[in-house]
Amino acid sequence: MTAVETAIERLSLTNSHLNQTSLPATNLKKNPSVLSITALQDPYKVCVIGSGNWGTTIAKVVAENTNNYPQLFQSKVDMWVFQEQIDGRNLTDIINTQHENVKYLPNIKLPENLVANPSLLDAVNDADILVFNIPHQFLPRIVQQLKGNIKKTARAISCLKGFEVGKNGVQLLSDYITDQLDIQCGALSGANLAPEVALEHWSETTVAYNLPFDYRGEGKDVDHKVLKALFHRPYFHVSVIDDVAGVSIAGALKNVVALGCGFVEGLGWGNNASAAIQRVGLGEIIKFGQMFFPESKVETYYKESAGVADLITTCSGGRNVRVAKMMAETGESAEYCEKNLLNGQSAQGIITCKEVYEWLSTCDKLDEYPLFTAVYRIVYEGLPMKNLPDMIEELEYFNFV
Amino acid sequence: MTAVETAIERLSLTNSHLNQTSLPATNLKKNPSVLSITALQDPYKVCVIGSGNWGTTIAKVVAENTNNYPQLFQSKVDMWVFQEQIDGRNLTDIINTQHENVKYLPNIKLPENLVANPSLLDAVNDADILVFNIPHQFLPRIVQQLKGNIKKTARAISCLKGFEVGKNGVQLLSDYITDQLDIQCGALSGANLAPEVALEHWSETTVAYNLPFDYRGEGKDVDHKVLKALFHRPYFHVSVIDDVAGVSIAGALKNVVALGCGFVEGLGWGNNASAAIQRVGLGEIIKFGQMFFPESKVETYYKESAGVADLITTCSGGRNVRVAKMMAETGESAEYCEKNLLNGQSAQGIITCKEVYEWLSTCDKLDEYPLFTAVYRIVYEGLPMKNLPDMIEELEYFNFV
C-alpha cells in the first residue's frame, strides 16, 4: 500500500461510523430532520480560491458535497492553485494525478472531482459560488485580478479570518469583497484546526450569510440551505446563520486573546489563569461587536462554533499561544519569537492587536478593553506581563466609613 | 531552609507583584475603584466548615482577609477539621503549630490566625459567616449537627459544587442549607483548581448572594461588599453577583460536559471536537438553567468565572476528563476507570449525569438535552462513544423537490 492508501485505510476505519448513509441504530434521534430543497435546472459551479492547508481542506469538503448533490452543484470544483514546482513537476499536475496536495496537505486523499487550476481567471470563469481561502495579505491583489472577470450573479463565502482596521474604522473582509466585486459575500469560521478537519475528525463550523437585496428566490439563488448542502459533512457539522459581522469579529479577535493565554501559560500560572483570560477575552469580543457592529448578535459569540468554540480551540494551542508562551519563557520580543518558531509565517494576533489598539485609541475607547490594550502594550511597549491581572481588572480599595 | 520556607520563598518571588500594596507604576488604570464600606462595631466572626484541599485553600484566602480588615472581621478564623492522626499526632495540632495542612494542602503556609478546630460545634459557635466547603455527601449529616447550634443571625456561603436532583426536582445546595438551618446562603464557584489558588497563581471566582427578606441593613449584615472583602485577594479576583442558581447549575453540569470532552480526547479526535463538546455543553447548561431556574440569568453562564471559565478549566483536565479518556482508550467501564485512576475518589460527573438523566426523563425533556443524554447512555448503557456526533446533532437529510 502507498502512504496515501494507508491513510485512506486508516481514515475509513476511524471514521466508518461517519460515512454510513443509513441512520445508525444507536442514534438517539427518532426523527432526523429533513430539509426540503429545490433541485436546480442549472446546477451551480463552485470554485475555491486558494490551496494552502485550510484552502485545500475546505476544497475537499466542498468537492465531496458537489459530488453528492448533482441536484444542486456541478460535480467538478476548480481550486485555484498558485503554481509551484515540486521536484521539477507542477504542483497542479501532482494534485490532478495523485489527488493529493503534497505540499500543503500531504497524506490526505482528495476527491477526483476537485481539479487544481493554475489560472485564477480560468478557475473562476462561470463560477456561481466563489469560496475565498487565501492569506489575508493576498486578498487585495486577487480581488483586483477578479474585477470584471467573474459572473455578475456570483455569490461568495470568505474563509479568511479577520477584518481590515484602518483610520476610518473596521471593515469586514466579506464587506471588502462585496464592495470591490459587487457580489454578496458571507463568512465561514469555526473551531476548525485544519489538520483535524482534513483527517475527518468530527468538528463544527459556522457559515454566516445574508440574503442580498437582489436575491433571486429559492431554486434560483444561493441561500442558507444551499450553503448547508455545500459545506455540511458527517464529520463537519455546519450551522448557517445571518450574523456575518459576529462570525468575522470573533474569528479575528480570538487571536489577541490567545496571546494573553500564551503569556499566562509561559508564566506557569496554569489553567485557572488561562480560563480567566478567555472569559475576559470573550467579554471584550462581545463588547467590540456590540460597539462597532451593533447588528452583530451577542448569541453568536457564546452559542456558535465561530464564537466560544473557536476561542477555546485557538487558546488551547496554535501559533499565537506558542509565540506568546516563548515570549514569557525567554523574555525575548514578539518578533524574535515569531522568527524562531514560525519559520517565516506570522502569528495573526501580533498584527491584529496593533490594528485593534490603534482603532480603539482613535475612538478613545482603550479603557473599555483592558485585555486587548494590555496585550498590545506587552507586545509593543514591553510592559511586564506579570502585571496582566492588575491591567485587566481594576484593583478595588476599601474606604471604611 | 525547610520545605515550607522554600515554598514561601518561591511563592513570594513568583507573586511579589501581587502582594504589593501600592499601585504598580505599569497599571493601566488611572483611577482604581474605591469601595466605601461601613466599619462595624462588632466585626464578624468567620468559620470555615471543611479542611480538604479546596476547604483549606478557601480558609487561607478568608483568613488573609480577616486579618487585613479588622474594621469588618475578627482576625481569628475557625476551620473545622475532621480529626485524623498523622504519625501519631492530631492533624489539628499539626496545623496549629506548623501552620500547614500536611495531609490535604502540603507545602502551603497558612496564616497564623487560621485555627484548626476538631469540634464542629465549637468552631461554629458565635460565627456570623459560615463558609461550607465539604464533600457533597457529608452535607446532610453536618447540617443535622448544626441545627439549633448556630447563631440565628448567621449567613452562609456554600463552596460545594452541584445540586440535589430528586424525583421532586432539582434543589440547589445553598437552598438546602437555607431550608435546613433557616439562614440565608449564597454560593462561591469559579475556574478554581485548588492547587493553583493555593500557590497564589492568579485566578478569578464568582460569589453569588441574594440579600434575604430580613436583611438588617448596611453595616449590620452581610452584603456584596462584605463578601468581596472576605474573598477577594490580589491573586483571587472576585465578582459578586445575585444569581445563586446560575452559579450553582454551571458548577454542577460542567462535570457532565467534561466527561464528553474526555471521550473525544480519548478517541484522539483533537481540539476541534473538544471545543465542540464544550460549545454544545454550554448551550445545554444555559437551557437547563432557563427551564428549571428561570430566575437564573443567561449572562451568568457566558460572562462569569463560574460559567464559561470554570467549564473551560474543568474540560482541560481533572478527574472527569481523565476517567472518560481512559474509558475511550481502554473500553473499560466508568466504574473500573474510576477505581483505577482515582484511588477511591469519584468523578462527580458520573453521579451528576445520572441524576440529570433521571430528572430529564421524569420531565420528558431528554430530547432537548442530547449531550447530557448521550453522556449518560455512554456511561450507563454502553452506547458506542464514537456515535457522539450523531447523538448530539440531528443528521439532516435533503429532500429534493
Side-chain angles (χ1 to χ4, degrees), chain A residues 17 26 28 33 35 37 39 193 196 204 228 237 272 279 303 377 386-387 393 396-397 399 401, chain B residues 17 26 28 33 35 37 39 193 196 204 228 237 272 279 303 377 386-387 393 396-397 399 401:
Chain A
H17 68 287
T26 48
L28 299 174
S33 66
L35 275 185
I37 189 163
L193 300 176
E196 297 179 7
E204 301 182 316
K228 178 107 185 181
H237 284 196
N272 294 346
R279 182 196 76 79
K303 275 198 176 168
R377 293 201 167 161
K386 68 186 170 63
N387 288 355
E393 193 193 47
E396 270 168 337
Y397 293 85
N399 175 32
V401 291
Chain B
H17 68 289
T26 48
L28 299 174
S33 66
L35 276 185
I37 189 164
L193 300 176
E196 298 179 7
E204 300 183 317
K228 178 107 185 182
H237 285 195
N272 294 345
R279 183 196 76 81
K303 275 198 176 169
R377 292 199 168 162
K386 67 185 170 65
N387 288 354
E393 193 193 48
E396 271 169 333
Y397 293 85
N399 176 34
V401 291

Side-chain angles (χ1 to χ4, degrees), chain B residues 59-309:
Chain B
K60 171 180 176 292
V61 164
V62 161
E64 287 167 358
N65 280 325
T66 61
N67 205 41
N68 261 6
Y69 302 120
Q71 302 92 336
L72 295 176
F73 307 111
Q74 296 178 35
S75 173
K76 184 186 166 213
V77 171
D78 277 89
M79 171 171 76
W80 173 64
V81 175
F82 181 83
Q83 191 63 286
E84 297 180 55
Q85 300 297 307
I86 311 287
D87 297 332
R89 293 176 68 196
N90 286 330
L91 178 54
T92 51
D93 292 336
I94 298 173
I95 295 174
N96 290 335
T97 51
Q98 289 182 218
H99 306 292
E100 181 187 346
N101 186 337
V102 292
K103 174 128 192 212
Y104 296 105
L105 197 63
N107 301 317
I108 300 293
K109 173 81 175 168
L110 301 174
E112 300 197 0
N113 57 314
L114 177 62
V115 176
N117 191 332
S119 159
L120 178 62
L121 298 193
D122 188 59
V124 299
N125 185 37
D126 283 332
D128 300 289
I129 302 176
L130 303 173
V131 179
F132 286 86
N133 207 334
I134 47 175
H136 185 158
Q137 64 268 30
F138 299 156
L139 185 62
R141 194 157 50 84
I142 296 291
V143 158
Q144 218 48 44
Q145 293 178 57
L146 293 180
K147 277 185 182 170
N149 293 307
I150 56 171
K151 260 190 167 175
K152 282 195 190 329
T153 55
R155 308 300 186 188
I157 293 291
S158 160
C159 302
L160 280 66
K161 291 283 188 276
F163 39 59
E164 284 281 331
V165 183
K167 287 284 170 223
N168 303 319
V170 186
Q171 185 175 37
L172 306 181
L173 296 182
S174 48
D175 285 348
Y176 175 82
I177 291 169
T178 296
D179 283 359
Q180 295 289 316
L181 297 177
D182 199 24
I183 55 172
Q184 187 72 357
C185 184
L188 179 150
S189 185
N192 302 141
L193 300 176
E196 298 179 7
V197 178
L199 284 166
E200 303 188 0
H201 290 167
W202 170 62
S203 71
E204 300 183 317
T205 201
T206 312
V207 174
Y209 185 75
N210 274 305
L211 294 185
F213 75 95
D214 62 348
Y215 173 64
R216 297 180 293 273
E218 187 165 346
K220 293 174 203 147
D221 203 345
V222 170
D223 58 18
H224 283 195
K225 288 181 192 172
V226 169
L227 292 170
K228 178 107 185 182
L230 185 60
F231 291 108
H232 187 87
R233 297 292 301 148
Y235 60 83
F236 192 61
H237 285 195
V238 169
S239 155
V240 190
I241 64 173
D242 288 323
D243 187 2
V244 180
V247 163
S248 305
I249 287 162
L253 294 177
K254 67 170 191 190
N255 290 320
V256 180
V257 183
L259 289 174
C261 288
F263 295 148
V264 300
E265 212 178 289
L267 289 169
W269 288 0
N271 288 331
N272 294 345
S274 178
I277 294 285
Q278 290 173 64
R279 183 196 76 81
V280 174
L282 182 61
E284 293 193 14
I285 290 170
I286 291 174
K287 185 184 273 191
F288 192 96
Q290 295 283 287
M291 188 175 283
F292 301 113
F293 292 89
E295 74 276 21
S296 78
K297 297 192 187 94
V298 173
E299 284 194 352
T300 301
Y301 302 106
Y302 70 83
K303 275 198 176 169
E304 296 296 334
S305 179
V308 66

